[in-house]
Amino acid sequence: MRLPPDEAERLEALHSYRILDTPPEEAFDDLVRLASRICGTPMALVSLVDAERQWFKARVGLDVPQTSREVAFCAHALESPRPLIVNDALADERFARNPLVLEDPHIRFYAGAPLLTPRGHSVGTLCVMDHVPRELSVDQIEALEVLSREVLSRLELRRHVMELSRAVESYERGAVERQRVERHQAAQQGATEALAEGLSVEDAIPRVLKAIAEAQSWAYGALWRRDSTAEVLRLAATWSADPEATRTFIESSRAVACTPGVGLPGLVWEAGDMVFLPDLQKDPHFLRAPAALRSGLNQGLGAPVNLGGEVLGVLEFFSHDMEPLDDELRRVLQSLGTQVAQFLERDAADLELRSNDARMRSVIENMLEGLVVVNGRGRIESVNPAAEQIFGYPAWEIVGQPLKLLLPHSVADHAEAFLADAYGRAIGRVTEWEGRRKNGEVFRFELSLYEFLSPDGRLLAGHVRDISDRQRLERMKKEFVATVSHELRTPLTSIRGSLSLLGSGVLGEIPPEAREAVEIAERNTVRLIGLINDILDLERIEAGKVEIHVEPLELATVFERSIEAVRGMADTMHVRLEVEPATARVDGDAERLVQVLVNLLSNAIKFSPRNEVVRVTSRSEPGFVEVRVADHGRGIPDSFKEAIFQRFQQVESSDSRQKGGSGLGLAICKAIVEQHGGTIGVESERGKGSFHFRIPAPGTRLPATP
Amino acid sequence: MKVLLIEDEDDIRRVARLSLSRVGGMEVVDAASGVEGVHRAEEESPDAILLDVMMPGLDGPSTLAALRSNPRTASIPVVFLTAKAMPEEKTRLMDLGARGVLTKPFDPVTLPAQLRAALEGR
């Protein structure tokens, strides 16, 4: 078979029409009918010749749809742009033995006009045939050519329509793609907004899930979050298009904690990358398949929530008919994963802050001390419930008000000076101040201040402790002690007097044993009276009821009078007194200083062994005069050196019985010395003791500290 | 020497009475209140009066004032007996015109001597 020289291009042109093996079309059928009528032939065809065969798009008078190219007349017609006319096939050696001539359909006449494409390639023919030899007129041949061009223009039209529809199709496909991009953008934007506006995981994440899932038409989304203590992922937030349908799925998700590699979240965690499960029912990794099935979910997608390579959580989405991951969606989920991770980190930090804050708040709310915070302008920033109670104002009434609201009227006008004073005295220390309650009552409180910086500037926080109750109690206690002591004194005076008279024998001689008993009774009565006197004395000094009369004194006078008072006692106890002559002058109350010195001397004598010496010395130092009483008693243990000046503190509890004394003597001495603006102390080692007190030198006396 | 003892506390009055009579060998008359004391002073014309300061009704200073306002008792020396041993209290009582101030609780063995010393201005 001879092929035309442009066979390849010709075939390409033919295939471009996409016409082969298509159903009959009326337009072509009409053209072959017209050709048959014009040429007066019983048969007419539109024959298209491909590599192997000729195929008939339209035919008249012929039953077969195609024949092999070998036998086709039309194959010959392809070789020339002019029509091929075979007036008698039997007389033409090219066709005389052609089966189509010799057998059915017994073709004797053939005329075919080639179907020439615009580029001149022939793809087939429009041909007419007859069972008998014949000729066509010039008009008929021209008509056949016209019709063949018409066939080709139909083919061309068809090709254009096809190209157009392909273009339309491709345009439409582009629109789908654009929609897809828009969906991704919507997901991205919605999620970003939710993260920007959201205050907490509970608030923001469901909105993020909703934005992503709705944009993709997915049914369900969830966030799994790394549990910081246990290395597992737990369900942290969900969103569902149909909450009722996914209820059981959410419940079963909540019941699961995923370790790396376990479940969809675990797979994502382990891989650090997105995982798509196209069929949940068949996936061995998917643990929640039964619940998912019940909730109508059959496909799943997981994406890591990671930051700096660390997986902080996993986003998972489920639906019925999910499109597989494309690059764009991958990019969107990756970017959102990072954003969610940043949000989780921020949230974790916030949570810690909030929980610290809540803890602090709870401490402040529940503490018994009042807390008042004042800003640099002297206005109240905040008060706690205890402060509300102490000052009698609800917080809303005083917050923002000037501090002077809480001060007595006398200082309220100088609130700034008060603040400066408090700032100077009360920072980090407990000091006493007066405050004013809402009902006008002025009361004393203990204040300690500390300063701190806040974003709003420098603030002062004051701890306030109402001590008015404590003071009232102390006052009552002291009054009670004074009253009771006084009431005790009168009967004791009678008892002591009676015993003394009995013991003296002026009321008549009594037997020696009775005398001994009377002496015991009298001694103890004296002790009791001494104790009561000391209590009264101490209370009066401490209450400030005893004025001291300070005047210039010769210390020597104080020494003389004191020695005079204890000499009898020293003699009785066989203790020697050595007094270094004193030359110093002091400012003080003679009576009271004698009382102190007598007390120290009596103690020294009481605790000295027989025949030992008690020494009294003095020295002048810059600013003060020191008086010292040294003995060779048993000494004072170090642990007792502070306590010894407190009430009822004796080194051994038996001392008050064996050595007498109320246990108040040194407390009284301390009160008196301090009233003079001086100090009292003790140095001691075993077998040696030395008490001293210091009184400010003349002209240097400071006001006593109450 | 005849002493009038004015003291509202019965037991203390009795102890003081025993002390002054048995230790001091004095003749003692007593009264349990300021008002009674003023009457007794007029009746008995004692050589000295030992007068308690704190008494219900007419207290020591008021009793002293009453005694001073009556010419028959105005010149009898009065010595106070007080539980308040503070110097300022002593001064206050001396300023009222007392001859002396003795403090409670007193020692009954030495009380007569103290009273004599006070009366003699020692």
Side-chain angles (χ1 to χ4, degrees):
Chain A
M1 187 179 67
R2 271 178 48 204
L3 295 177
D6 64 341
E7 174 70 8
E9 293 85 355
R10 193 192 66 78
L11 284 175
E12 190 181 349
L14 171 63
H15 290 134
S16 76
Y17 294 125
R18 294 174 184 269
I19 187 81
L20 295 175
D21 302 313
T22 55
E25 286 173 60
E26 208 172 337
F28 293 102
D29 291 347
D30 286 347
L31 288 172
V32 291
R33 265 200 298 277
L34 198 58
S36 153
R37 181 79 50 87
I38 289 169
C39 295
T41 58
M43 294 176 285
L45 300 167
V46 169
S47 166
L48 299 164
V49 181
D50 76 359
E52 309 290 332
R53 55 168 183 165
Q54 64 171 343
W55 176 81
F56 310 133
K57 174 63 183 172
R59 52 194 153 93
V60 174
L62 203 67
D63 291 334
V64 293
Q66 61 184 20
T67 71
S68 87
R69 185 171 173 179
E70 300 271 323
V71 299
F73 282 73
C74 293
H76 294 271
L78 301 179
E79 289 167 17
S80 163
R82 297 289 308 148
L84 171 68
I85 313 284
V86 181
N87 290 331
D88 184 353
L90 285 177
D92 189 320
E93 61 175 11
R94 288 175 295 176
F95 304 107
R97 278 173 296 277
N98 188 305
L100 298 176
V101 176
L102 298 176
E103 298 161 24
D104 198 52
H106 299 286
I107 295 169
R108 291 290 294 274
F109 169 79
Y110 172 90
L115 302 174
L116 290 171
T117 68
R119 295 196 167 184
H121 305 299
S122 176
V123 296
T125 62
L126 171 65
C127 61
V128 291
M129 291 159 289
D130 203 342
H131 306 294
V132 293
R134 58 183 304 158
E135 288 182 3
L136 289 185
S137 67
V138 175
D139 290 343
Q140 283 175 316
I141 291 171
E142 197 182 330
L144 192 62
E145 284 184 310
V146 168
L147 288 176
S148 79
R149 285 197 292 276
E150 185 59 28
V151 169
L152 193 89
S153 63
R154 289 275 161 191
L155 287 175
E156 281 286 310
L157 179 63
R158 187 190 154 84
R159 192 164 60 88
H160 285 141
V161 168
M162 274 189 325
E163 275 173 5
L164 193 62
S165 80
R166 260 208 306 282
V168 167
E169 206 173 280
S170 128
Y171 172 82
E172 280 172 352
R173 267 209 305 281
V176 168
E177 191 55 36
R178 270 194 304 284
Q179 276 177 3
R180 212 177 156 81
V181 170
E182 277 165 18
R183 280 208 310 271
H184 294 336
Q185 283 172 346
Q188 175 93 56
Q189 192 179 342
T192 305
E193 274 174 18
L195 289 173
E197 291 165 6
L199 298 173
S200 64
V201 169
E202 297 72 27
D203 170 41
I205 301 300
R207 288 175 59 198
V208 172
L209 297 169
K210 177 177 195 266
I212 300 172
E214 276 192 341
Q216 308 293 337
S217 305
W218 293 338
Y220 169 85
L223 171 72
W224 292 70
R225 192 174 185 179
R226 268 267 292 281
D227 190 316
S228 53
T229 48
E231 279 298 277
V232 292
L233 288 166
R234 289 184 204 285
L235 193 68
T238 62
W239 173 85
S240 179
D242 182 352
E244 192 46 44
T246 50
R247 199 168 48 80
T248 50
F249 183 66
I250 293 174
E251 277 168 14
S252 74
S253 297
R254 237 179 254 297
V256 179
C258 296
T259 49
V262 174
L264 176 57
L267 282 178
V268 174
W269 185 4
E270 190 177 58
D273 195 10
M274 289 167 216
V275 172
F276 180 59
L277 302 181
D279 189 344
L280 299 181
Q281 307 311 320
K282 292 196 182 136
D283 201 300
H285 292 293
F286 194 66
L287 306 171
R288 293 164 285 162
L293 181 65
R294 276 200 298 279
S295 299
L297 307 171
N298 55 23
Q299 291 189 315
L301 167 68
V305 169
N306 51 13
L307 198 62
E310 196 193 358
V311 176
L312 303 182
V314 169
L315 290 169
E316 66 173 8
F317 298 97
F318 293 94
S319 204
H320 328 283
D321 188 17
M322 298 173 90
E323 283 177 45
L325 270 173
D326 62 25
D327 287 347
E328 182 63 17
L329 183 56
R330 197 170 258 285
R331 202 187 56 70
V332 168
L333 288 175
Q334 209 154 26
S335 144
L336 285 176
T338 307
Q339 286 184 44
V340 170
Q342 285 166 344
F343 184 86
L344 291 184
E345 275 224 321
R346 213 164 53 229
D347 177 73
D350 279 1
L351 196 68
E352 191 158 346
L353 265 180
R354 279 201 301 274
S355 91
N356 277 344
D357 206 44
R359 262 201 299 279
M360 282 313 298
R361 194 167 297 282
S362 148
V363 168
I364 289 169
E365 297 280 309
N366 292 302
M367 67 190 207
L368 295 174
E369 283 184 343
L371 183 69
V372 179
V373 178
V374 179
N375 66 20
R377 297 186 310 284
R379 285 185 181 270
I380 299 163
E381 288 265 318
S382 68
V383 291
N384 71 348
E388 288 179 294
Q389 197 160 18
I390 290 171
F391 289 98
Y393 289 96
W396 61 267
E397 238 176 271
I398 41 172
V399 168
Q401 296 295 313
L403 176 67
K404 66 177 185 184
L405 200 66
L406 304 181
L407 303 177
H409 291 297
S410 53
V411 291
D413 293 340
H414 315 289
E416 277 179 23
F418 170 88
L419 255 186
D421 191 15
Y423 187 74
R425 284 172 51 198
I427 289 270
R429 269 195 304 237
V430 179
T431 47
E432 270 191 44
W433 303 84
E434 279 189 338
R436 176 162 54 100
R437 300 191 218 272
K438 189 181 181 184
N439 64 12
E441 184 192 341
V442 172
F443 68 103
R444 290 198 76 79
F445 64 87
E446 280 180 354
L447 173 71
S448 58
L449 278 180
Y450 58 89
E451 187 181 20
F452 64 101
L453 279 173
S454 84
D456 307 326
R458 193 180 67 111
L459 297 177
L460 277 178
H463 282 259
V464 175
R465 180 183 300 201
D466 187 344
I467 54 170
S468 53
D469 281 350
R470 196 176 78 196
Q471 282 190 322
R472 206 164 23 245
L473 266 177
E474 273 176 18
R475 209 162 42 241
M476 280 169 61
K477 189 193 81 186
K478 284 180 179 170
E479 279 167 11
F480 172 78
V481 168
T483 309
V484 167
S485 304
H486 193 79
E487 293 303 316
L488 280 172
R489 209 146 65 148
T490 307
L492 279 171
T493 302
S494 310
I495 296 169
R496 182 195 164 185
S498 304
L499 291 169
S500 178
L501 284 174
L502 269 178
S504 71
V506 293
L507 303 180
E509 280 305 312
I510 53 173
E513 283 174 346
R515 177 186 290 272
E516 195 184 337
V518 167
E519 276 169 6
I520 291 170
E522 190 190 356
R523 197 163 59 241
N524 281 285
T525 311
V526 168
R527 217 176 104 199
L528 203 51
I529 291 169
L531 171 62
I532 288 165
N533 284 343
D534 280 353
I535 290 173
L536 284 171
D537 215 14
L538 188 59
E539 293 300 341
R540 284 156 48 99
I541 294 169
E542 287 186 347
K545 283 184 188 163
V546 178
E547 290 273 309
I548 57 168
H549 300 279
V550 176
E551 52 192 358
L553 291 174
E554 295 289 343
L555 192 57
T557 318
V558 175
F559 278 21
E560 272 166 35
R561 287 177 55 186
S562 305
I563 295 298
E564 191 62 35
V566 299
R567 189 174 299 285
M569 178 185 181
D571 288 349
T572 313
M573 309 276 294
H574 301 281
V575 172
R576 230 159 6 100
L577 294 173
E578 276 185 21
V579 184
E580 189 184 80
T583 54
R585 291 177 64 83
V586 292
D587 283 352
D589 182 320
E591 290 286 332
R592 290 294 172 182
L593 292 183
V594 167
Q595 189 180 351
V596 172
L597 190 50
V598 164
N599 208 304
L600 296 182
L601 282 167
S602 323
N603 281 344
I605 293 165
K606 232 178 337 194
F607 289 99
S608 286
R610 277 170 86 96
N611 301 322
E612 271 296 352
V613 177
V614 169
R615 275 179 64 82
V616 184
T617 57
S618 65
R619 64 193 175 104
S620 292
E621 291 286 330
F624 62 88
V625 174
E626 183 183 272
V627 176
R628 189 170 286 272
V629 177
D631 64 52
H632 291 88
R634 65 182 181 210
I636 311 276
D638 280 352
S639 57
F640 249 95
K641 285 179 181 167
E642 282 295 320
I644 194 102
F645 293 103
Q646 292 166 16
R647 301 164 187 208
F648 303 113
Q649 293 290 335
Q650 287 172 319
V651 175
E652 285 171 22
S653 55
S654 60
D655 281 351
S656 72
R657 273 197 319 279
Q658 291 173 358
K659 304 287 184 185
S662 60
L664 288 171
L666 286 175
I668 292 172
C669 289
K670 182 167 189 275
I672 293 171
V673 170
E674 286 180 353
Q675 213 177 7
H676 279 80
T679 58
I680 192 165
V682 61
E683 291 97 47
S684 177
E685 51 193 75
R686 201 128 194 97
K688 228 194 265 185
S690 162
F691 281 86
H692 69 264
F693 63 90
R694 291 169 177 177
I695 300 294
T700 60
R701 188 173 172 271
L702 297 167
T705 46
Chain B
M1 186 165 96
K2 186 182 193 177
V3 178
L4 169 60
L5 173 63
I6 308 173
E7 165 67 59
D8 61 313
E9 289 281 344
D10 286 352
D11 287 345
I12 291 186
R13 193 173 66 247
R14 284 181 191 143
V15 171
R17 189 189 166 88
L18 279 172
S19 162
L20 295 174
S21 59
R22 298 295 286 269
V23 180
M26 301 170 183
E27 182 187 346
V28 182
V29 289
D30 60 21
S33 72
V35 176
E36 189 192 345
V38 172
H39 288 304
R40 297 285 279 171
E42 205 173 348
E43 288 164 16
E44 302 282 347
S45 297
D47 300 309
I49 299 174
L50 189 55
L51 176 58
D52 185 27
V53 175
M54 293 242 294
M55 288 187 294
L58 211 58
D59 67 359
S62 309
T63 305
L64 175 61
L67 292 168
R68 290 283 178 268
S69 66
N70 184 341
R72 297 176 58 183
T73 55
S75 58
I76 305 173
V78 171
V79 173
F80 276 119
L81 193 56
T82 178
K84 294 184 179 174
M86 299 296 109
E88 52 266 47
E89 174 73 356
K90 261 185 182 166
T91 312
R92 182 179 76 95
L93 294 172
M94 293 299 280
D95 288 350
L96 292 175
R99 185 65 64 89
V101 178
L102 302 182
T103 55
K104 283 203 267 192
F106 55 84
D107 179 357
V109 176
T110 57
L111 181 66
Q114 285 183 45
L115 178 59
R116 282 204 177 90
L119 289 171
E120 285 161 20
R122 278 192 276 136

